[in-house]
Amino acid sequence: MALPFEFTREETEIREKAKHFAETYIAPVAAEFDERSEFPIDNIKKLAQQGFMGIPFPKIYSGLGLTNVAYSLAVIELAKVCASHGITVGAHTGIGCGPIWLFGTEEQKQKYLVPLAKGEKLASFGLTEPTAGSDAGGTLTTAELKGDHYIINGSKIFITSAGYADVFVVTAVTDKSKGKNGISSFIVEKTFPGFVVGKKENKMGWRASDTRMLHFENMIVPKENLVGKEGEGFKGFLKVLDGGRVGMAALSLGIAIGAYEAAVKFAKKRQQFDKPIIDNQGIQFYLADMALGIECGWHLVLHAARLKDAGKPFTKEAAMAKLQTSEMAMQATIKAIQIHGAYGTTKDYPVERFFRDAKIGEIGEGTSEIQRLVIAREIIRALG
């Protein structure tokens, strides 16, 4: 699809670089890794070597020093081919490194953000718990200060890249009496005593993305690994999730574009009634709807990313982008399968995988219902 948008030279270059990487290294193996539910560690290492794990972070911290628009473009190109690769980069950057970049001390940035931005280590984020999903304020994991360290006990669930990440930012309650204001954030290393990684989830989508539970059994965390101040964890992760939703929106947009392009390619070749099915008005209507949704998604994603780059509030815009693109991607992949007919239900064509991957976008980093709640609250807040 031709894009009616202008990008800087650096943004265009990273987009082309991501597109080339996806076509060269990911496309040939995406279906295989999905089928085996295997984490593509070699490709992730290649992505790291090319700088994709630190796109929006300053060069002084070993990032590429590019914009959030550039980061979004890269995620879109990866997700067009494989959402699992896209979410691995996205989760690492947005919600894994994000808290350290936004709230970490200079010492924490030097110790953790630098190797993470270089791609020498992989980051993840531990927020969701078995009884605290949409209600993240219901966190039950606890952290008790004991001299020069905290003792953390509890569990996290559905944690992206959990089996391969080296550094995690996790939330825990430091003062039960303060409710949400008693939640704090900590940087945790997988080598810390008491850190236990659970079994890998057998998911319907994002199958090449490693998702697991984390268990903290009297885990010892140095006092200096507290991110920000005690009690600021809840407020902090809301801001982190704003940025993460821009990445999730880019991911969903990429899936939709991938499904659209696959549908167009198939419709041009598939013959029925002595003509390509793309000549049928019903198929054309499907493609028109897909193109419309994708075009809207581009505007929403880029608007939210540019607001973030400008240092302006973007909570509502991020939620809007995430909501529209995730629901649009779901509908786009359904239409793509319909255009493929029975072929679309087989693993010989990528649209079946795109369909499964798209569904998770409506749930991860806040369900569609939560996005509508965020949008409504921001509207009401603006009305005074």
Side-chain angles (χ1 to χ4, degrees):
M1 297 177 71
L3 299 181
F5 308 105
E6 292 187 4
F7 302 112
T8 66
R9 177 177 59 83
E10 292 82 2
E11 289 166 352
T12 300
E13 287 177 352
I14 198 68
R15 182 184 179 220
E16 289 301 319
K17 189 176 179 181
K19 181 178 181 181
H20 178 265
F21 187 97
E23 292 174 349
T24 304
Y25 296 105
I26 301 177
V29 299
E32 181 181 348
F33 278 99
D34 173 84
E35 179 70 19
R36 299 202 306 253
S37 186
E38 181 181 340
F39 188 73
I41 184 63
D42 289 340
N43 271 350
I44 299 305
K45 289 180 178 179
K46 289 186 179 76
L47 283 165
Q49 291 167 0
Q50 295 190 28
F52 284 101
M53 311 308 277
I55 294 174
F57 303 117
K59 293 181 180 180
I60 59 171
Y61 297 116
S62 299
L64 295 186
L66 301 181
T67 62
N68 284 284
V69 169
Y71 160 65
S72 297
L73 292 174
V75 171
I76 289 168
E77 291 300 327
L78 296 177
K80 280 168 58 177
V81 177
C82 176
S84 293
H85 282 77
I87 192 57
T88 300
V89 173
H92 165 88
T93 306
I95 57 177
C97 297
I100 303 173
W101 164 237
L102 289 172
F103 309 111
T105 63
E106 183 60 28
E107 290 74 20
Q108 289 172 343
K109 290 175 182 178
Q110 290 296 334
K111 182 176 181 179
Y112 293 108
L113 185 58
V114 169
L116 291 171
K118 285 181 180 179
E120 295 174 348
K121 294 184 177 181
L122 187 63
S124 186
F125 185 53
L127 173 63
T128 303
E129 299 188 358
T131 59
S134 294
D135 179 20
T139 297
L140 296 179
T141 296
T142 61
E144 183 180 1
L145 182 60
K146 293 284 189 179
D148 62 352
H149 62 272
Y150 285 89
I151 299 294
I152 296 183
N153 284 283
S155 297
K156 301 293 179 178
I157 196 170
F158 303 128
I159 306 304
T160 302
S161 303
Y164 291 84
D166 305 282
V167 177
F168 300 76
V169 176
V170 303
T171 54
V173 177
T174 48
D175 189 338
K176 294 181 181 180
S177 68
K178 294 182 178 179
K180 294 177 181 178
N181 293 324
I183 299 176
S184 304
S185 294
F186 302 87
I187 300 172
V188 172
E189 299 178 36
K190 68 178 181 181
T191 57
F192 283 176
F195 183 97
V196 180
V197 179
K199 71 176 184 66
K200 183 172 68 175
E201 299 290 350
N202 186 14
K203 311 185 301 293
M204 70 176 267
W206 296 4
R207 286 179 55 77
S209 167
D210 189 87
T211 306
R212 302 171 187 250
M213 284 190 73
L214 299 177
H215 304 285
F216 312 132
E217 301 171 359
N218 291 319
M219 180 173 63
I220 300 174
V221 179
K223 183 178 180 180
E224 59 267 25
N225 280 36
L226 174 70
V227 181
K229 298 178 181 179
E230 277 199 5
E232 293 185 350
F234 185 82
K235 181 175 64 176
F237 72 63
L238 290 181
K239 187 171 291 187
V240 169
L241 288 177
D242 285 344
R245 283 165 184 159
V246 177
M248 277 292 293
L251 184 88
S252 292
L253 178 57
I255 295 172
I257 295 172
Y260 171 82
E261 292 181 349
V264 169
K265 180 180 178 180
F266 184 88
K268 285 181 176 180
K269 291 184 176 180
R270 175 65 170 163
Q271 295 274 331
Q272 289 288 278
F273 306 105
D274 298 321
K275 63 181 181 180
I277 63 172
I278 199 169
D279 291 343
N280 296 328
Q281 191 178 62
I283 300 298
Q284 293 171 2
F285 282 178
Y286 276 156
L287 294 175
D289 287 342
M290 294 166 75
L292 173 61
I294 290 169
E295 187 84 0
C296 293
W298 270 111
H299 285 274
L300 287 168
V301 171
L302 293 177
H303 180 49
R306 284 171 173 155
L307 285 175
K308 185 179 181 184
D309 283 329
K312 297 180 180 179
F314 65 101
T315 297
K316 174 170 64 70
E317 290 76 12
M320 284 182 167
K322 197 271 185 184
L323 175 62
Q324 188 272 344
T325 56
S326 61
E327 295 194 341
M328 177 272 296
M330 193 73 252
Q331 292 304 311
T333 55
I334 290 173
K335 288 181 172 67
I337 290 176
Q338 194 70 15
I339 289 172
H340 280 70
Y343 292 104
T345 67
T346 72
K347 294 185 182 295
D348 295 328
Y349 291 84
V351 291
E352 175 269 344
R353 172 165 51 88
F354 292 155
F355 169 78
R356 290 185 284 105
D357 289 340
K359 183 58 197 175
I360 304 182
E362 292 184 306
I363 299 171
E365 294 215 27
T367 63
S368 292
E369 292 75 18
I370 289 296
Q371 304 311 313
R372 288 182 168 88
L373 181 62
V374 171
I375 294 166
R377 285 177 176 173
E378 289 299 308
I379 291 172
I380 294 170
R381 183 179 291 112
L383 293 174

